[in-house]
Amino acid sequence: FCVTLGEGARAVPLAGHVGFDSMPDQLVNKSVNHGFCFNILCVGETGLGKSTLMDTLFNTKFEGEPTQHNQPGVTLKSNTYELQESNVRLKLTVVNTVGFGDQINKEDSYKSIVEFIDAQFEAYLQEELKIKRTLHSYHDTRIHACLYFIAPTGHSLKSLDLVTMKKLDSKVNIIPIVAKSDAISKSELAKFKIKITSELVSNGVQIYQFPTDDESVAEINSTMNSHLPFAVVGSTEEVKIGNKMVKARQYPWGTVQVENENHCDFVKLREMLIRVNMEDLREQTHTRHYELYRRCKLEEMGFKDTDPDSKPFSLQETYEAKRNEFMGELQKKEEEMRQMFVQRVKEKEAELKEAEKELHEKFDRLKKLHQDEKKKVEDKRKSLDDELNMFKQKKTAAELLQNQAQQAGGSTTLKRDKERKK
Amino acid sequence: TSEGPQVIPSYSSSAMSEAVVPDAMVSPAVGGPYGEKASGPGVDFSYVGIDAILEQMRRKAMKQGFELNIMVVGQSGLGKSTLMNTLFKSKVSRKSVQATAQEKIPKTIEIKSISHDIEEKGVRMKLTVIDTPGFGDQINNENCWRPIMKFINDQYEAYLQEEININRKKRIPDSRVHCCIYFIPPTGHCLRPLDVEFMRRLSKVVNIVPVIAKADTLTLEERDFFKKKIREELRANGIDVYPQKEFDEDAEDRMINEKIREMIPFAVVGSDQEYQVNGRRLLGRKTKWGTIEVENIAHCEFAYLRDLLIRTHMQNIKDITSSIHYEMYRVRRLNENNTVVAHANGMPEHHLAAHEM
């Protein structure tokens, strides 16, 4: 059998309308039917307005109480929501870092975040490696965008921020934002942004760059890149300005309008995050961050890419071997546990037997005691009975004597009386 | 617009309009590319912009382009190349037996794969037509489906190999056969054993679209009778051709696909010649008794085939290939006993037989 492959594709002109220009529409329709997934991770200290910003961005009130400041460690809380706009259904997952920045010792703060992100990659990898898999209906939980909330100190980045972002930049798309930026004046803000950007650069932190390779969005994306980090203000309260209701924060000295580009960069953030680059964020997560994770994980597990003429499924084989090894370990552990269990049972059984014996002895002792007592009481009773009998006898005898004495005495009195009469 | 906790109201044009409020700037006035709604005083501030993702996807798709791999199977002389050229309105397939060449019908089945880059309204597509000259042409056609089966499985294998690499390409090149058009000769009676055998085996690994070739030799009654007979035989032999009933996603899908299932196999006529008919230049075949217009649905069902394959179901065909046929192949492969030596490009005969049904 012979197979000849064309030597690369040649461009061929079409003599008329074929109709495959509908392919983008077919693809989009399929995606619409399927729904979309988008997962945002909000990293930042407690009280920086993370939840409020999410509410403002997506125009809805996500549930949740503001967290307290006394968390012992950093935990990640994840909530998924179904949103719909025209015919687009979005499964949005918002993950919050609870307790970030609240501890006295923050050395390990970044760890739970990294673990969480890795766990989502791992879940996807596991699904991908399954034999029977359902990738197209898999609910993708990998983090597509990480909004890093910087406290509006106006000075520079905190070392916690630098450390955390450095640990995260190879795992997730980081978009740094200055939170509660209405606390900083415009001039201070400009200086702050410059300081932040230079610190990020000098520490080698790779933040997400809005893509400039597609000419339809290259311009706006590159402009926005220069505005990072975005200085945002979030608010779900509406204030009347003129004859419109706008989202704003009202102070005695003025009102900060969220969607006013002169007041803050909220609109820019929404534009970039949702309206222009959502798909690119998803793609980068899958083709860059996930691939890196997968590569590292597989190499760690001992796989290597095979050369062209060796067996094709050494990945599967090694996977099987590793699985067998793991199962072996598992079995060994199970055996150990079983042994321990048997041992414990024996011990407990002995203990119980001992206790039982003691109880029996006690019971016997008590029984004997009881019997002794009973006997004593019986004896006493008998002796009392005897006494009683004796007493009765004596009584009867005494009564008899008395009676006899009375009779005898009575006749004596009669005789005396007769003698007196004479 | 009232807003519930978890539902975003659709964009409504009855927004908070009127005069532009001084000092309140609306969202940047950028147009179409990412689905931005019209800027200006009519903007509804409750619009989030989630649906802009559709535009983003479209942009990405346009940039990346599409791939499509079609295989044509049938005896020589059934008009396979012509049909491909008619479908794609260009010379994407070279006729295997040229009028002038001294080529003989090949003694064995060859598999010839030719790729072309075509573009329409900004949408780029890499079209690969896989031809199978020699199929069904021998005296003894036993096992003629084998090399084709092997080719299809080889493409799945190549994809799988790349997919399980540690360092793998961003976009795995997709050479998997998305659709196999099977040409049934217009005998008018029923399917031949070769047809049944081929379709029975291949329908389990690839999407098969059977067509009645050179349908201009059948009258409409003969055609309907033939089609009915073919459908019966397919049903009797348990052959599931595209669109397969079991892959209908929902009621809407089922409705559309049922209509198609009632019409297959499409009776087609191909042509790359244009003729003047009623003042228009049309693709057709000119005979002494009239001109058959290829794209006229009163004459033949070419237009239905084209619409199915290209304009409406192309994405679906690719999806079924990748999420069903390929996954089934992958499951089989990964479940195999790995001690059997399996070379990357072929399995020993007994192994091949064991996995073909």
Side-chain angles (χ1 to χ4, degrees):
Chain A
F1 312 126
C2 125
V3 176
T4 33
L5 288 171
E7 48 312 303
R10 306 175 350 242
V12 166
L14 302 177
H17 182 235
V18 175
F20 62 87
D21 55 342
S22 66
M23 270 305 268
D25 289 324
Q26 291 184 39
L27 188 63
V28 164
N29 281 339
K30 168 185 127 179
S31 299
V32 165
N33 285 335
H34 212 247
F36 296 88
C37 244
F38 196 58
N39 309 319
I40 304 182
L41 169 67
C42 292
V43 179
E45 293 171 2
T46 316
L48 280 183
K50 304 190 286 289
S51 310
T52 312
L53 187 67
M54 286 296 109
D55 286 352
T56 321
L57 261 179
F58 291 99
N59 234 350
T60 176
K61 186 92 184 74
F62 295 125
E63 353 141 343
E65 296 295 317
T67 39
Q68 305 297 315
H69 284 256
N70 52 8
Q71 309 290 324
V74 180
T75 49
L76 283 98
K77 209 157 73 95
S78 150
N79 287 308
T80 306
Y81 309 95
E82 304 255 356
L83 305 175
Q84 178 154 359
E85 198 165 66
S86 57
N87 59 342
V88 176
R89 287 173 298 120
L90 180 73
K91 228 191 187 102
L92 175 74
T93 302
V94 178
V95 186
N96 242 308
T97 50
V98 175
F100 188 77
D102 278 336
Q103 295 78 38
I104 293 177
N105 182 356
K106 300 187 262 249
E107 272 176 359
D108 292 342
S109 294
Y110 72 87
K111 286 203 182 134
S112 27
I113 305 177
V114 169
E115 273 167 17
F116 181 85
I117 295 176
D118 279 348
Q120 312 317 308
F121 285 146
E122 184 63 31
Y124 189 89
L125 181 63
Q126 288 305 316
E127 182 65 30
E128 204 189 11
L129 286 181
K130 270 195 197 154
I131 295 190
K132 268 217 167 115
R133 59 189 190 180
T134 45
L135 275 178
H136 55 276
S137 57
Y138 176 78
H139 176 213
D140 191 1
T141 53
R142 299 172 294 181
I143 302 293
H144 301 124
C146 169
L147 294 181
Y148 195 94
F149 287 68
I150 300 168
T153 58
H155 299 160
S156 59
L157 283 174
K158 299 190 186 167
S159 38
L160 174 66
D161 295 335
L162 277 171
V163 165
T164 311
M165 279 200 268
K166 193 89 180 89
K167 293 279 179 196
L168 294 179
D169 69 355
S170 59
K171 294 198 172 280
V172 74
N173 300 316
I174 300 184
I175 301 179
I177 60 183
V178 177
K180 297 196 165 177
S181 65
D182 51 345
I184 319 182
S185 75
K186 213 166 181 144
S187 53
E188 285 173 348
L189 186 61
K191 282 200 216 116
F192 192 30
K193 282 194 186 185
I194 294 174
K195 191 79 173 51
I196 292 176
T197 317
S198 70
E199 281 194 318
L200 288 175
V201 164
S202 59
N203 280 281
V205 174
Q206 304 262 17
I207 56 172
Y208 175 73
Q209 293 296 309
F210 305 119
T212 49
D213 47 359
D214 182 346
E215 70 259 339
S216 47
V217 292
E219 205 184 306
I220 187 169
N221 274 347
S222 68
T223 317
M224 293 296 185
N225 275 327
S226 61
H227 278 113
L228 284 170
F230 292 136
V232 295
V233 172
S235 171
T236 45
E237 281 159 16
E238 295 194 334
V239 169
K240 196 168 177 117
I241 305 276
N243 47 9
K244 281 213 285 202
M245 293 300 283
V246 298
K247 290 194 272 255
R249 286 177 63 77
Q250 204 161 42
Y251 293 104
W253 49 88
T255 307
V256 180
Q257 294 157 40
V258 167
E259 276 159 316
N260 184 336
E261 289 204 67
N262 285 333
H263 290 194
C264 75
D265 294 332
F266 172 82
V267 169
K268 295 192 175 71
L269 174 67
R270 183 180 56 196
E271 203 60 32
M272 288 293 100
L273 182 67
I274 303 175
R275 296 186 190 178
V276 179
N277 298 305
M278 203 196 284
E279 183 58 32
D280 185 69
L281 283 162
R282 280 156 33 115
E283 176 149 358
Q284 292 294 322
T285 304
H286 180 66
T287 57
R288 197 144 59 91
H289 300 297
Y290 169 71
E291 283 298 310
L292 181 64
Y293 175 84
R294 178 182 174 272
R295 213 173 16 245
C296 295
K297 193 73 198 299
L298 292 181
E299 278 170 356
E300 192 184 285
M301 277 166 64
F303 297 126
K304 281 191 286 291
D305 269 340
T306 61
D307 34 28
D309 50 30
S310 59
K311 294 218 300 269
F313 281 92
S314 44
L315 182 87
Q316 182 58 21
E317 272 180 8
T318 332
Y319 188 54
E320 279 299 321
K322 278 256 153 33
R323 202 212 314 205
N324 289 335
E325 193 185 310
F326 176 70
M327 293 302 277
E329 285 273 341
L330 211 66
Q331 272 183 330
K332 205 165 76 171
K333 272 222 172 86
E334 213 181 299
E335 194 52 46
E336 270 177 37
M337 284 178 79
R338 194 177 301 137
Q339 296 283 24
M340 199 156 66
F341 180 70
V342 167
Q343 182 65 15
R344 285 244 181 92
V345 167
K346 271 207 181 109
E347 282 175 15
K348 197 74 186 202
E349 215 175 7
E351 258 178 59
L352 285 174
K353 270 214 168 86
E354 198 51 51
E356 195 180 22
K357 198 159 113 196
E358 268 180 40
L359 269 174
H360 275 175
E361 281 175 5
K362 196 164 177 190
F363 179 68
D364 285 336
R365 260 201 318 271
L366 278 175
K367 193 162 169 194
K368 182 152 193 300
L369 221 73
H370 178 248
Q371 277 180 329
D372 286 343
E373 280 295 317
K374 194 167 176 195
K375 181 135 195 306
K376 263 200 210 139
V377 168
E378 288 285 335
D379 288 341
K380 196 94 185 248
R381 197 208 196 165
K382 185 148 192 301
S383 69
L384 274 175
D385 270 338
D386 288 340
E387 267 186 50
L388 195 67
N389 281 340
M390 236 167 27
F391 176 70
K392 274 201 179 133
Q393 277 179 337
K394 272 202 179 130
K395 184 177 176 197
T396 351
E399 276 179 354
L400 201 68
L401 267 168
Q402 202 176 46
N403 270 351
Q404 281 177 346
Q406 249 182 5
Q407 272 183 349
S411 58
T412 326
T413 340
L414 224 74
K415 224 168 168 185
R416 229 188 295 153
D417 272 341
K418 266 182 185 167
E419 278 179 5
R420 256 190 293 151
K421 267 179 192 170
K422 284 181 168 147
Chain B
T1 39
S2 62
E3 294 161 35
Q6 282 177 5
V7 174
I8 299 225
S10 5
Y11 169 63
S12 69
S13 52
S14 65
M16 7 232 177
S17 57
E18 300 108 297
V20 179
V21 177
D23 204 32
M25 248 171 76
V26 302
S27 328
V30 224
Y34 36 94
E36 176 62 71
K37 298 290 177 179
S39 58
V43 179
D44 180 354
F45 285 111
S46 66
Y47 171 65
V48 175
I50 295 175
D51 55 0
I53 194 169
L54 298 182
E55 198 49 48
Q56 296 171 34
M57 287 199 84
R58 194 168 279 129
R59 241 191 311 125
K60 182 174 106 173
M62 302 279 282
K63 199 169 84 155
Q64 283 180 347
F66 298 90
E67 285 172 305
L68 183 68
N69 308 319
I70 301 189
M71 180 186 264
V72 286
V73 179
Q75 284 170 288
S76 5
L78 283 181
K80 303 190 292 289
S81 298
T82 312
L83 185 70
M84 283 295 109
N85 294 341
T86 319
L87 265 176
F88 290 100
K89 295 223 159 67
S90 59
K91 288 237 175 336
V92 291
S93 184
R94 213 156 47 95
K95 298 194 196 164
S96 52
V97 184
Q98 306 291 335
T100 51
Q102 295 291 339
E103 287 170 37
K104 300 199 193 86
I105 291 173
K107 289 229 162 40
T108 55
I109 302 169
E110 295 177 345
I111 311 230
K112 285 202 178 120
S113 185
I114 307 177
S115 300
H116 291 96
D117 272 337
I118 48 182
E119 187 249 317
E120 189 169 61
K121 298 224 176 89
V123 179
R124 289 175 302 112
M125 183 153 90
K126 176 160 179 248
L127 171 72
T128 305
V129 177
I130 303 144
D131 204 355
T132 55
F135 176 84
D137 289 333
Q138 281 77 51
I139 295 178
N140 182 358
N141 285 308
E142 234 166 56
N143 299 330
C144 64
W145 41 266
R146 274 239 190 113
I148 297 174
M149 185 88 145
K150 180 173 167 321
F151 179 84
I152 292 176
N153 283 331
D154 285 348
Q155 307 318 305
Y156 291 146
E157 182 68 27
Y159 193 90
L160 182 59
Q161 284 302 309
E162 185 58 37
E163 199 189 25
I164 64 177
N165 262 345
I166 301 212
N167 276 302
R168 55 188 189 183
K169 305 201 176 86
K170 251 189 194 180
R171 274 189 82 203
I172 304 178
D174 190 0
S175 63
R176 300 173 294 191
V177 178
H178 299 127
C179 164
C180 172
I181 305 182
Y182 187 76
F183 287 68
I184 300 171
T187 61
H189 299 164
C190 58
L191 289 174
R192 302 163 304 156
L194 174 65
D195 302 329
V196 172
E197 193 61 21
F198 180 87
M199 284 198 277
R200 196 170 60 84
R201 291 171 184 272
L202 274 283
S203 60
K204 297 195 163 77
V205 297
V206 72
N207 295 319
I208 296 209
V209 176
V211 297
I212 299 174
K214 298 202 162 172
D216 49 336
T217 61
L218 296 170
T219 64
L220 290 183
E221 294 82 22
E222 285 167 348
R223 181 209 292 181
D224 283 338
F225 173 79
F226 192 25
K227 282 214 240 178
K228 223 165 51 185
K229 205 73 181 37
I230 292 175
R231 282 198 295 271
E232 266 168 31
E233 279 190 280
L234 290 177
R235 235 191 324 267
N237 283 284
I239 302 175
D240 250 334
V241 297
Y242 184 84
Q244 299 92 334
K245 224 180 187 137
E246 52 176 332
F247 305 142
D248 284 340
E249 284 188 15
D250 51 32
E252 196 186 317
D253 247 11
R254 207 181 346 265
M255 211 171 63
I256 299 174
N257 290 344
E258 271 305 318
K259 289 213 189 85
I260 297 171
R261 285 189 279 264
E262 280 163 22
M263 294 211 301
I264 51 169
F266 293 123
V268 295
V269 173
S271 166
D272 41 18
Q273 296 268 44
E274 283 188 341
Y275 294 99
Q276 196 84 342
V277 177
N278 292 337
R280 287 170 23 227
R281 285 199 68 77
L282 297 172
L283 281 175
R285 283 175 65 73
K286 191 167 176 152
T287 66
K288 291 216 160 61
W289 46 92
T291 304
I292 303 149
E293 295 158 44
V294 165
E295 276 164 317
N296 184 339
I297 52 173
H299 289 194
C300 79
E301 295 177 321
F302 168 82
Y304 292 130
L305 177 71
R306 176 202 56 210
D307 287 349
L308 177 75
L309 276 187
I310 301 177
R311 296 187 186 178
T312 56
H313 284 66
M314 196 193 274
Q315 186 59 44
N316 182 247
I317 287 174
K318 292 175 65 174
D319 288 340
I320 296 202
T321 306
S322 69
S323 53
I324 297 176
H325 293 301
Y326 167 70
E327 287 297 317
M328 271 183 8
Y329 176 83
R330 183 176 172 275
V331 168
R332 275 205 321 263
R333 272 302 259 152
L334 294 186
N335 272 331
E336 264 170 26
N337 189 349
N338 288 316
T339 59
V340 173
V341 175
H343 300 290
N345 247 345
M347 304 188 236
E349 284 307 309
H350 71 274
H351 216 245
L352 196 70
H355 285 283
E356 285 158 345
M357 294 165 258

